[in-house]
Every structure is written in C-alpha cells, then in structure tokens.
Amino acid sequence: MTALVDVPASAQTATRPPTPRRRRGQTWPFVLLLLGPSAVLIVVFIVLPAVYGLWLSLTNTQLTGFAARDPKFVGLDNYSYLLTSADFLTSLGQTGTFLLFSAIIGQTVLGMVAAILLSRPWIRGKGFFGAAVLMPMVVPEVVASLTWASVLATSPEGTLNRLLNVFGGEPTAWLQTAPMLAIILVNIWRGLAFAMIMFQAALEDVPAELIEAARVDGATAVQVFRHVTLPLIRGPVFLYLLLTTISTVGVFGLVYFLTRGGPGGQTRIAAIYIYERALQFSQVGIGSAASIILLVIVLVLGAVYVRLAKVEV
Amino acid sequence: MTTLESRTAAPVLNLRRRRRLRPVDVAQRSIGYALIVLLALFCLVPFAWVVLSAVDADAGATVQIPAFSFDNFIRFFTASGTPLLLINSLVIAIASTVLNLTLGIAGGYALSRFAFPGRRFFMFSILLIRVIPAPATIVALYLIMVNLGLANTLHGLIIVQAVSGLPVTLWLMKGTVDAVPVELEEAAWTDGNTRLQAVRRIVLPLIGPGLGAAAMLMFMGSWGDFLTPLVMLQNQDLYPLAIGLFRAFSERNVIDWGLLAASAVIYVVPPAIFYMLVRKHLLKSSLGGALKG
C-alpha cells in the first residue's frame, strides 16, 4: 500500500518536459501501442462488468429458463423486492455483524496489540512472532479454511474442544451452534497480520520524544497510548479501517468453504447471498441489485471513514 | 565522534533502565510476553492439523500423533484427478502472471515516460477500481465471459486474473520505471539505439526489484483465488487446486483427510518457492551509482 501512496510524489519529478530529442507527434502512437491493450482489457473486464451489473439490476435476467432468452426492463422492482425481503435484510445484518466484530473490532484491536508489543525494545524473538502472525495471511484462502475445519471439528477431539476441555468446557459443534462466532474468529485470525503491518508502519512515525515527554510527566502507558499515540496515528487507522471494510465485505471463500452460508442461513453474508441468488437460483437481476446495494453501502462507509479521519486532526 | 557518544550513552541508559525495572515494569513485561505468545499460538495452532495429517498414514479430521509416512503425497501424485489440479493451478497462475507483467511493463513505461493528457485521470481511475469488492461484479463478469465464449475455459480465466491484478501492477511498474533515470535512456539513444532497444538494454535490467514485487503479488493473488474459478469453471478437468480441495472437502461423503492435508501442503509450496526465488531479487537494488561521475 505504501508503494502505491508514494508514487505520485516521484511522478511529479519524473514528468519533466519532453526532451527536445523527442519529436512532437511521436507520443500518441507509443502511448496507444503500450498502454492501449491494458486500457482496453481493464475496460472490458473490470469497468464493463460494473456498468453491466447496474443494467442487469434493472432487468429480470435469468441464467436459465424463459427470461434468460428475453430479459425485460423492470425498473426498480428488484430493489423494492430486496429492501422488503427478510432474507436480504438479514443477510445485510449478518454482513454488518461480521464486519463490525471481525474487522473493525477484532482485527483492529489485536493487530494494534501485536504492533505495539513488537515495537517494544525489550521483546525478544520479534522475527519469530512477526512471522507467526503473518502465516494466516499468506496461505491461500482454501488452506486457511481447511485448517479451521479441523480446529472447529464437531468431535471432542476437535482442537478447540480439546482446549476447552482443559478448562472443563463441554464439546460443542461450533459450526452448528455458533456459526457466526466461528467465522468471526476465523476472519480475525486471517486479517490480524494486515492490521499489524499497517499499525507497525504508523507507530514508527510517532516521534519517540513525545512518548518520552509524556512518560516523564507521569502518564501511565495506557494514558500515553490514549492521548499521545492514538491521535497521532489517526490517519493510518482510518485508512486501515477503509481497506479492511472493503476486503471484509468481499470475503467469500473463507466463509463459503466452512459453512456454505448455513446452517439455516445464519452465516449467509452478502457475498454468499449474491452468489446463491445469481448463480444457484439463476436470478441474475436480483443478485445484481444486491451487488449494487452492497457497493453503495461500502462507498457510504468509505466516505464516513474519510470524513472521520480528517475531522479534529 | 558519534560512535563514541553512543557507546558512552548506551551503558548509562542500560544502568538507568536496570535500576528502574520496578515490579510494575516486570509485571508489564510478563503480561506483554504472555500476550504475544498467546497471539502467536492463536495464529500457528490451526496449522498443526494440516502439517501432522499430511504425513499421517491414517489421518482423521482432528489432530493426532501421526503414523509417519509419505503415503498421502505419493497418493496425491498417483491418483487419477489430483495431479491435474496442480497442473491447472500452475498453468493459470504462471500464464496470468506473465500476461499481467507484459501488459504492466508496457503500460507502466508509457505512464512513466510520456506526459499525455488524461494520464492522472487514468491512474486514479484504476486506483478507485480497487474499492469494488470482487463478489459485487462477479455475476456480470460471468455473463460477459459467456457472451465472449470465454466462460469455462482456462484462457478466459487467465485473462480475467491477469486483468484483475493490472491496476496494481501498472502503479507499481510506473513507480519502478520512474526510478530509472531517463538520462540513461537518452544516452542509449545517442549511442544509436532505437527506443525499444533502449528499453530492452537499459530499462528492463534495472526494474528487477519492482518487477519481482509485482510478480509476487500477482502470482499469489491468482494462485489463491477461489471465487473466480468457482464461478467461471464448470468442467472438472479445468479445476485448479483451490476448487479441487473445496470439492474434496464438501462434496464427498467420505472425506480422505490424509490426501486433503497433503494437497493443502502441496498447494502452499509453489508460492513459498517463488517467494524464496524472488526475495533475493527484491532486496537487490542495482541502480546505485548509475549516474555517478
């Protein structure tokens, strides 16, 4: 991410006026030849799907059957259906719960704890701990899910059940009795490293003198964090919240692998709702409308974060 | 002078710290260590099952002391369907990375070296695209692929993967080419090279680190992707490992846990090898001193 943010500054130095050696009129053929293919492919495979999705959401397109051959424009019917559908509203609520507890609370708090601990000078084995936290993020999604399928296994020998047994807990079928809790836990596990990396970078920019001064004035560690460190890393924290919101709303495989949205639709987060509607029940129109609603929610949340990040700095 | 200062300063600091290590500090540090150890365990423990079961001749769904054997790996490579999963994954990830980098180098070079109207708009538009979560456009993308006759084909999936990583690659490559002094290229032109020759002889050898980073990101993204192949591919012979593992886990009545764990280990190996190959390259910067003298 930092690489992306750094670029514009260097871009300015590089856009020096064209050298006299380069003749006028030579620019466009080169640009079209070099950048043209990328631009066309991005339009066809990224921009067009977004625009086409907007159009599909206004039709009754189906994957199969009669309406597949002759889709009709139905205006905002799909939207009014969705916004009064208990299934969809429940799904949005579950997406919100998933986002709030796994990303905004879980990953942020634990990522911050990890980043602060690893920035302490007295901690030994930073390399090992850092690598350990990184592992869940770098393995493919399917492998991440598979590891948790075993941890959450129903039998008393499931890793979590064994651990709880030490403390006298009863064996539980986690993915049946507490599926939302389970997928929240799994997503915290997977996203922890990204939060840690972002916060580590932010903490490095906090001047040590300010912390030292506050300590000398008799502030406790908690007070220093609350009143000195946190206000200084406000920007990166909200940038992180923005990025994690986008990626958490886009989580599909991790949850689909473990629960397939079940049991009884208890973990049917929006991404799974869209997939089921459009590709399993073949209601492309309704699925597309759900996508657009989801996209609007993400954009609104993004705007809120950007606002919160700027106020009171 | 500075070394002398820091040498005298360090012991003083140490002394002060040692003297000041009150019970409160000891308690704080103990809690700190306890927390970081717990976090590390939380992150690592789930992997225990995969690692142990992969080398367990009679593996089950849960952690147990393995009856050590490489039988599961042998079965992975000799079974009828599983080697094909690995080959498909390799074909998809390598081809999409090559395509992505080819487009990215060309486009990044154009974005870096030519000041044309609309360039900033283009750069920021492709950055904004990242805001859209993948599941939100996958349905429309699938219908477009059906219309283009690219659905349910490997080359279709390869193009989609390569393009989905293109915004990031273009940004990375633009930044990397920016770092190559244009004077070096100009010198090559005056020596009689054409623009293309100058790119091949001067720019390409110097953008190694950026190229490595872009390749790594693209390969990992393509290799680990689950949603796109799940939607795009229906033909079992085209499945990559991600889908193969998912089907083996969720659609069989009797799950072969040992084979599943071994497949997961095999699935993790190629990106790890790739990372080790690229890592040296990532750290090496060959630009230093190019302009000196």
Side-chain angles (χ1 to χ4, degrees):
Chain A
M1 213 46 223
T2 45
L4 294 187
V5 179
D6 286 344
V7 171
S10 58
Q12 281 164 359
T13 56
T15 52
R16 57 198 79 185
T19 47
R21 217 167 286 122
R22 202 181 300 153
R23 287 187 301 273
R24 262 175 183 281
Q26 235 185 3
T27 301
W28 277 110
F30 268 120
V31 170
L32 285 179
L33 184 71
L34 294 171
L35 193 59
S38 297
V40 169
L41 286 170
I42 286 176
V43 167
V44 172
F45 291 102
I46 302 182
V47 179
L48 193 60
V51 177
Y52 189 41
L54 189 61
W55 162 250
L56 285 172
S57 75
L58 303 172
T59 68
N60 64 353
T61 308
Q62 303 252 332
L63 271 189
T64 52
F66 184 67
R69 238 167 296 145
D70 186 21
K72 281 198 176 59
F73 183 80
V74 295
L76 296 174
D77 281 9
N78 291 327
Y79 291 93
S80 59
Y81 166 81
L82 281 173
L83 293 175
T84 53
S85 147
D87 264 7
F88 180 65
L89 294 178
T90 311
S91 165
L92 276 187
Q94 282 162 356
T95 312
T97 311
F98 183 64
L99 175 67
L100 178 67
F101 288 103
S102 75
I104 296 176
I105 295 179
Q107 290 172 4
T108 309
V109 171
L110 287 183
M112 186 66 84
V113 168
I116 289 174
L117 285 174
L118 290 182
S119 71
R120 297 299 94 170
W122 44 264
I123 285 265
R124 310 241 169 246
K126 279 182 186 141
F128 169 77
F129 289 124
V133 173
L134 219 56
M135 278 294 286
M137 188 176 81
V138 294
V139 296
E141 208 171 17
V142 173
V143 174
S145 311
L146 189 61
T147 62
W148 278 88
S150 164
V151 174
L152 301 169
T154 309
S155 71
E157 282 83 41
T159 310
L160 186 58
N161 281 336
R162 265 194 198 158
L163 277 178
L164 290 179
N165 192 35
V166 176
F167 302 103
E170 288 291 306
T172 310
W174 292 101
L175 287 171
Q176 266 74 50
T177 52
M180 183 52 90
L181 186 67
I183 62 168
I184 285 172
L185 194 65
V186 177
N187 196 45
I188 292 176
W189 174 80
R190 182 143 170 96
L192 179 55
F194 183 54
M196 182 186 76
I197 294 169
M198 293 282 292
F199 295 151
Q200 268 181 325
L203 287 174
E204 269 174 26
D205 290 341
V206 176
E209 302 85 50
L210 281 180
I211 310 266
E212 200 63 27
R215 295 306 288 270
V216 169
D217 288 348
T220 65
V222 177
Q223 281 172 328
V224 171
F225 179 73
R226 172 71 189 80
H227 295 291
V228 181
T229 312
L230 203 53
L232 284 171
I233 60 170
R234 196 186 169 101
V237 167
F238 277 105
L239 175 65
Y240 167 72
L241 286 177
L242 177 69
L243 294 175
T244 194
T245 298
I246 294 167
S247 63
T248 306
V249 168
V251 167
F252 173 82
L254 202 62
V255 178
Y256 194 69
F257 189 102
L258 285 171
T259 68
R260 305 195 114 198
Q266 283 182 70
T267 55
R268 196 192 286 129
I269 52 175
I272 294 180
Y273 182 91
I274 293 167
Y275 176 79
E276 280 186 349
R277 277 287 158 166
L279 296 160
Q280 293 189 328
F281 307 152
S282 96
Q283 296 165 321
V284 173
I286 292 176
S288 299
S291 306
I292 301 290
I293 293 175
L294 186 66
L295 196 56
V296 168
I297 293 175
V298 171
L299 288 178
V300 169
L301 277 176
V304 170
Y305 291 140
V306 170
R307 242 206 121 94
L308 284 175
K310 277 191 182 150
V311 166
E312 287 177 50
V313 167
Chain B
M1 198 57 213
T2 43
T3 48
L4 227 155
E5 255 173 26
S6 67
R7 237 177 237 163
T8 48
V12 173
L13 212 78
N14 263 342
L15 262 178
R16 212 171 56 187
R17 212 174 262 161
R18 239 169 237 154
R19 215 184 298 143
R20 274 234 218 117
L21 207 59
R22 299 155 304 172
V24 186
D25 294 323
V26 174
Q28 254 181 18
R29 289 184 186 195
S30 316
I31 293 170
Y33 269 111
L35 274 175
I36 197 74
V37 167
L38 278 178
L39 270 177
L41 282 177
F42 172 57
C43 289
L44 289 181
V45 161
F47 291 107
W49 174 79
V50 175
V51 175
L52 291 175
S53 302
V55 292
D56 190 347
D58 37 47
T62 55
V63 174
Q64 57 191 14
I65 293 164
F68 192 83
S69 87
F70 283 115
D71 192 38
N72 294 323
F73 291 97
I74 295 167
R75 280 195 298 140
F76 178 90
F77 286 107
T78 53
S80 60
T82 42
L84 191 59
L85 297 174
L86 179 62
I87 292 170
N88 286 336
S89 270
L90 285 171
V91 168
I92 294 166
I94 293 174
S96 60
T97 305
V98 169
L99 179 60
N100 173 278
L101 292 182
T102 312
L103 291 165
I105 294 170
Y109 182 81
L111 288 168
S112 168
R113 289 292 191 249
F114 298 101
F116 55 94
R119 190 184 62 166
R120 273 178 65 88
F121 172 77
F122 180 81
M123 292 291 290
F124 283 101
S125 308
I126 60 174
L127 191 64
L128 264 183
I129 285 169
R130 307 279 303 162
V131 174
I132 306 174
T137 54
I138 195 77
V139 180
L141 178 62
Y142 175 67
L143 289 187
I144 290 172
M145 297 297 278
V146 170
N147 284 325
L148 292 174
L150 289 172
N152 203 14
T153 64
L154 277 190
H155 54 273
L157 181 63
I158 288 166
I159 295 173
V160 167
Q161 301 275 27
V163 176
S164 74
L166 203 47
V168 171
T169 307
L170 281 173
W171 269 86
L172 275 174
M173 293 325 299
K174 181 195 178 291
T176 312
V177 176
D178 277 348
V180 178
V182 75
E183 286 82 1
L184 290 182
E185 264 185 276
E186 286 169 349
W189 300 341
T190 44
D191 289 349
N193 288 292
T194 64
R195 184 126 208 170
L196 210 67
Q197 281 172 329
V199 169
R200 197 166 53 82
R201 293 190 179 142
I202 306 291
V203 181
L204 278 187
L206 291 177
I207 56 173
L211 205 58
M216 192 72 227
L217 281 176
M218 182 63 229
F219 185 86
M220 297 264 278
S222 179
W223 184 259
D225 192 14
F226 173 72
L227 177 64
T228 322
L230 181 73
V231 172
M232 295 295 159
L233 303 177
Q234 286 85 42
N235 184 350
Q236 208 168 337
D237 293 338
L238 301 179
Y239 286 159
L241 271 169
I243 308 298
L245 255 77
F246 172 66
R247 305 258 167 197
F249 175 73
S250 66
E251 286 177 4
R252 303 267 164 78
N253 287 325
V254 183
I255 300 174
D256 187 339
W257 293 104
L259 183 62
L260 201 57
S263 313
V265 170
I266 290 166
Y267 188 20
V268 175
V269 167
I273 293 177
F274 190 43
Y275 173 73
M276 292 201 224
L277 288 178
V278 169
R279 198 173 60 139
K280 239 194 269 170
H281 220 55
L282 289 178
L283 301 174
K284 191 173 63 189
S285 174
S286 41
L287 273 179
L291 278 183
K292 265 184 201 152

